[in-house]
Amino acid sequence: MAMEMTAGYIETAIKRGLQAIVAALIAFTSGCGRPKASITMAGSTAFEPFAVALSKEYKKIRPDVRITVQGGGSSLGIMTAMYGIAQIGMADLVKLPQEAVGLTATVVARDGIAMVVNVANPVTDITEAQVRDIFNGKLTNWRELGWEDHSITVVSREAGSGTRSSFEKLIGGIVLVKSALVQDSNGSIRETVINDKYSISYLSHGLINQEVRSLSLDGCECTAENIIGGKYKLSRPVFLLTKGEPAGIVKDFIDYMLSHESQEIIHKKGLLPAK
Amino acid sequence: MVERIVKWLLAITAFSALASLLLIALFVFKEGLPFILKTGLSDFLFSSHWDPSHGKFGILAMIVSSLAVTAGALLVGAPLGICGAIFLNEFMPVSVMRIIKPAIELLAGIPSVVFGFIGVTVLAPFIQHNFGGAGLSLLAASLILGIMILPTVISISVDALAAVPNSYRDGALALGATKWQSVHMVTLKAARSGILAGVILGMGRAIGETMAVIMVAGNSVQFPRSPLDSVRTLTSNIALEMNSAIGVHRQALFATGVVLFVVIMILNAIAGVAIRRKIRGK
C-alpha cells in the first residue's frame, strides 16, 4: 500500500513537471499567431530529427497545425504518451515495456543495429553465437575470431537504453559481462570504439561512418536492403505511441508520416521505411 | 532604517543558499528513501548485482569504486599539490608567485568535459598501449581527477603556508636550521590544518565529479581488482542512467543519490574530526 502510494506520488511529480514544461512552451509560443491545433511529440532521440523534418514538411500542407518535437529518449516517449502530455510518443524498442500497455503503437520506421569494431580490426564477420558469447563474457580473446592474441573490450549502452534492450532481446540470452564498458549515447559508443583498437560494440545503423567498421552478422551485411528485406537480424521498429486509437489531427499527421513521400524522406535521411 | 533593510536583505540571501541545499536534500531523500526501505539494505547496499532490467539494484561495487577513485585522485593530487604549494610559497620569489598562483587558479575554471576529453583521447590510449587493459580505467580516472583537484589543493595550501608568520621561519633559521629543515619542521607543522582543509576540499571535488569520470572510467559495474579495471562511481551511475530510467529504476537512481549524500557526509565528518585533532595536537 505504502509502496503504491509513493510510486503514484513520483508519477504525479513527474507528470506535473512535464506539464509545466509543456505549458511554458505553449505560453512562450502562443504569442506568435494562433494555430487551431497543436501536436506535441516527444521521445526517441534516434527518431527526433526525422520527426522535426517531417513536421516541417507537414506544416507546408497544414499551416494551421503547430507541431512541437522534443527528444528525451524512448522512456520519456512512453511516459509522456501515457500521461497525455505528448499526443505522440516516440520509442525505438524491439518490445515495448509493461509500462506502455494501453498505448496504441504504430510502426513508422525501422532501424538496424550494427555490430561495430575499430577500423584497425581485420575481422569482417561474426556469428550470432559469438556475439552472445562476447557480451556474456565467455568469449574474451580476439584470437578466437582469427585475429591477434588480445583481450576483447566489450562496450555496451547503459541499462534502460532502447538500443541496448533491443540488442539484448534480439540476440537473446545476454547477461552483460561485468567488465563491459558502458557508455550513455551513440556518440560516446562510437568515440570509444574509435579510440580502442580491440573494442566491439553495437550502434544504430544510421550512425555508422568511416571512423568505425560494421561487421556482417552470420554473413549478412548490415545494409538498408538487408534490413528492409528482413535478412539482417538485428533490426528494430520505431514506434509512434498514442493514447487510444489516433484520431483527428493526430491521426492525420501519423497518416502523413506513413505516406509514401514521408517514408522516402525517412529513407533518404538514413532510417529505413516501415514497410 | 537602511541598516535594518540591509540586514534583512542579507539574511534572505544567506538563507536562500541554505534553503536550496535543504530542498535538494529533502527531494533526493523523499524520492530515494522509499525505494531503499522497500528493497532492503542487504539487496541494495550490500549487493553488487546491478541489472535494472531484471530488477537487481545492488550498488556495493559502485560505493567501493567511488571510494577507490577518490583515494586514487588524492594519491595523485595531494602530494603534487602540497609539494607545489611548498615550492611556490617557500622557494619562489614573491614576484614570480604573483604570476603563477593566478595561473594555477585558472586551471580550476577549465570545464571538466575538457579534462574528460583529454583523458579519452590521450590518456586512455596511452594506458592501454603501455599497461594493457581497456585504457578507460580506475587509473585513468584517478590521474585525471588528481590533476583536476590540484588547483584547489595548491591554492588553499599556499594560503595556509603564507599565513604562517615570518617570525617562525626567521626563528628557525636563527637557531641554525637549514631552509628545508625550517620548512618541514616549522612552517609545514604550523600550516598543517590549512593544508589538510585543502586536501579535504579536493576530496570533495573528486568524489562529486561526474562528467570527467563518466568519460574516462569506462563505467563497468564491478569491484576494481587492479587499477586497470574499468569502474563505475555513484555519481556516474546516476548521470548515465537517469535519462532512460523509468519506474523503479528511476527510484533506484535517487536512492543512489541518497547513498552518495551519506557517503559524502561521513567523509566530511571524518575529515572534520581529523582537522580538530590536528589543531588540538598543536
Side-chain angles (χ1 to χ4, degrees):
Chain A
M1 170 66 182
M3 209 177 84
E4 281 163 18
M5 268 175 67
T6 46
Y9 208 58
I10 289 161
E11 273 170 16
T12 17
I14 293 166
K15 188 175 172 180
R16 277 196 198 130
L18 290 169
Q19 272 172 341
I21 292 166
V22 174
L25 276 171
I26 290 166
F28 178 70
T29 42
S30 63
C32 31
R34 212 165 273 272
K36 283 182 199 126
S38 83
I39 302 174
T40 305
M41 295 178 81
S44 162
T45 45
F47 192 67
E48 187 191 352
F50 299 89
V52 171
L54 291 176
S55 67
K56 275 192 188 134
E57 289 297 315
Y58 186 68
K59 212 167 167 74
K60 287 179 192 158
I61 316 169
R62 293 289 301 265
D64 58 324
V65 180
R66 190 184 29 242
I67 301 169
T68 315
V69 182
Q70 292 173 7
S74 297
S75 304
L76 192 82
I78 295 169
M79 217 150 52
T80 47
M82 220 161 40
Y83 296 139
I85 297 156
Q87 283 80 39
I88 305 175
M90 305 176 281
D92 48 359
L93 296 161
V94 80
K95 190 167 162 269
L96 292 167
Q98 274 195 316
E99 282 95 338
V101 216
L103 292 174
T104 308
T106 314
V107 177
V108 70
R110 294 196 76 80
D111 185 18
I113 301 173
M115 301 306 306
V116 289
V117 292
N118 190 281
V119 281
N121 191 328
V123 178
T124 54
D125 184 67
I126 195 166
T127 68
E128 203 186 311
Q130 283 169 333
V131 172
R132 187 177 301 117
D133 285 350
I134 287 173
F135 281 83
N136 272 334
K138 281 179 206 142
L139 204 166
T140 58
N141 200 305
W142 280 112
R143 199 183 37 205
E144 296 175 62
L145 285 118
W147 190 25
E148 59 185 272
D149 182 11
H150 196 285
S151 58
I152 301 174
T153 311
V154 179
V155 189
S156 177
R157 285 288 300 275
E158 82 282 8
S161 140
T163 314
R164 170 162 166 186
S165 70
S166 304
F167 170 75
E168 293 186 347
K169 281 243 162 63
L170 288 166
I171 294 288
I174 289 183
V175 179
L176 188 66
V177 55
K178 288 210 167 179
S179 61
L181 304 186
V182 176
Q183 297 292 334
D184 64 346
S185 71
N186 281 304
S188 39
I189 288 272
R190 200 165 54 195
E191 200 59 35
T192 310
V193 173
I194 291 169
N195 282 308
D196 188 337
K197 195 177 160 190
Y198 300 101
S199 57
I200 184 166
S201 189
Y202 50 89
L203 201 57
S204 176
H205 164 75
L207 294 160
I208 306 285
N209 61 8
Q210 291 92 342
E211 292 177 286
V212 293
R213 213 158 51 69
S214 86
L215 298 174
S216 60
L217 185 72
D218 289 324
C220 185
E221 296 269 357
C222 178
T223 60
E225 294 72 47
N226 286 343
I227 297 168
I228 300 168
K231 281 191 209 142
Y232 186 79
K233 194 188 174 190
L234 298 181
S235 95
R236 59 179 167 159
V238 179
F239 289 111
L240 296 178
L241 304 168
T242 48
K243 208 169 188 179
E245 282 296 316
I249 193 69
V250 173
K251 179 173 170 17
D252 195 55
F253 182 49
I254 290 182
D255 286 345
Y256 172 77
M257 284 192 277
L258 294 172
S259 71
H260 185 70
E261 302 87 74
S262 305
Q263 294 287 313
E264 278 295 300
I265 295 174
I266 288 176
H267 190 109
K268 255 186 228 148
K269 287 181 179 273
L271 273 188
L272 307 163
K275 287 153 200 150
Chain B
M1 184 60 190
V2 177
E3 287 287 319
R4 244 206 217 144
I5 294 172
V6 169
K7 186 184 159 194
W8 277 107
L9 275 178
L10 286 177
I12 290 168
T13 25
F15 185 70
S16 69
L18 204 69
S20 52
L21 180 72
L22 213 69
L23 281 177
I24 291 172
L26 265 177
F27 182 73
V28 170
F29 274 82
K30 194 199 82 191
E31 299 277 301
L33 266 187
F35 172 83
I36 298 179
L37 296 178
K38 189 180 78 194
T39 314
L41 277 185
S42 59
D43 282 345
F44 181 60
L45 273 189
F46 303 118
S47 151
S48 65
H49 190 178
W50 176 267
D51 187 0
S53 43
H54 297 102
K56 299 290 179 200
F57 299 101
I59 62 163
L60 186 60
M62 297 177 216
I63 299 177
V64 173
S65 299
S66 263
L67 296 176
V69 166
T70 308
L74 287 180
L75 227 58
V76 175
L80 284 181
I82 295 171
C83 294
I86 293 173
F87 181 74
L88 283 179
N89 197 62
E90 304 296 320
F91 294 89
M92 193 87 101
V94 179
S95 53
V96 185
M97 230 268 285
R98 284 216 185 99
I99 304 168
I100 289 193
K101 201 180 166 227
I104 288 170
E105 277 160 11
L106 209 63
L107 200 66
I110 297 177
S112 53
V113 64
V114 174
F115 282 100
F117 187 70
I118 294 169
V120 169
T121 53
V122 182
L123 186 61
F126 177 82
I127 290 175
Q128 182 179 40
H129 192 74
N130 292 290
F131 304 106
L136 300 174
S137 57
L138 174 59
L139 178 66
S142 300
L143 286 172
I144 289 289
L145 278 179
I147 293 165
M148 285 179 74
I149 65 171
L150 270 184
T152 314
V153 177
I154 291 184
S155 63
I156 293 176
S157 302
V158 163
D159 290 344
L161 288 169
V164 176
N166 266 332
S167 55
Y168 283 36
R169 298 186 184 87
D170 295 343
L173 294 176
L175 287 170
T178 64
K179 174 90 183 173
W180 171 237
Q181 283 171 332
S182 96
V183 166
H184 83 100
M185 292 168 128
V186 178
T187 322
L188 263 187
K189 286 228 164 96
R192 65 186 167 186
S193 70
I195 291 176
L196 203 62
V199 172
I200 287 161
L201 279 175
M203 179 186 79
R205 171 142 200 219
I207 200 168
E209 176 54 44
T210 312
M211 194 62 214
V213 180
I214 285 189
M215 291 173 80
V216 301
N219 310 316
S220 317
V221 184
Q222 62 179 353
F223 287 108
R225 280 154 303 170
S226 98
L228 297 175
D229 276 349
S230 153
V231 294
R232 181 184 302 189
T233 62
L234 293 167
T235 49
S236 311
N237 189 42
I238 301 172
L240 265 179
E241 298 187 355
M242 201 41 122
N243 256 342
S244 42
I246 43 176
V248 192
H249 187 186
R250 197 182 166 82
Q251 287 176 284
L253 294 181
F254 274 105
T256 312
V258 171
V259 173
L260 183 66
F261 213 96
V262 174
V263 167
I264 290 177
M265 282 198 298
I266 292 174
L267 284 180
N268 275 345
I270 294 173
V273 171
I275 288 189
R276 246 169 277 134
R277 279 232 181 103
K278 285 266 151 130
I279 293 172
R280 225 182 288 140
K282 206 162 79 184

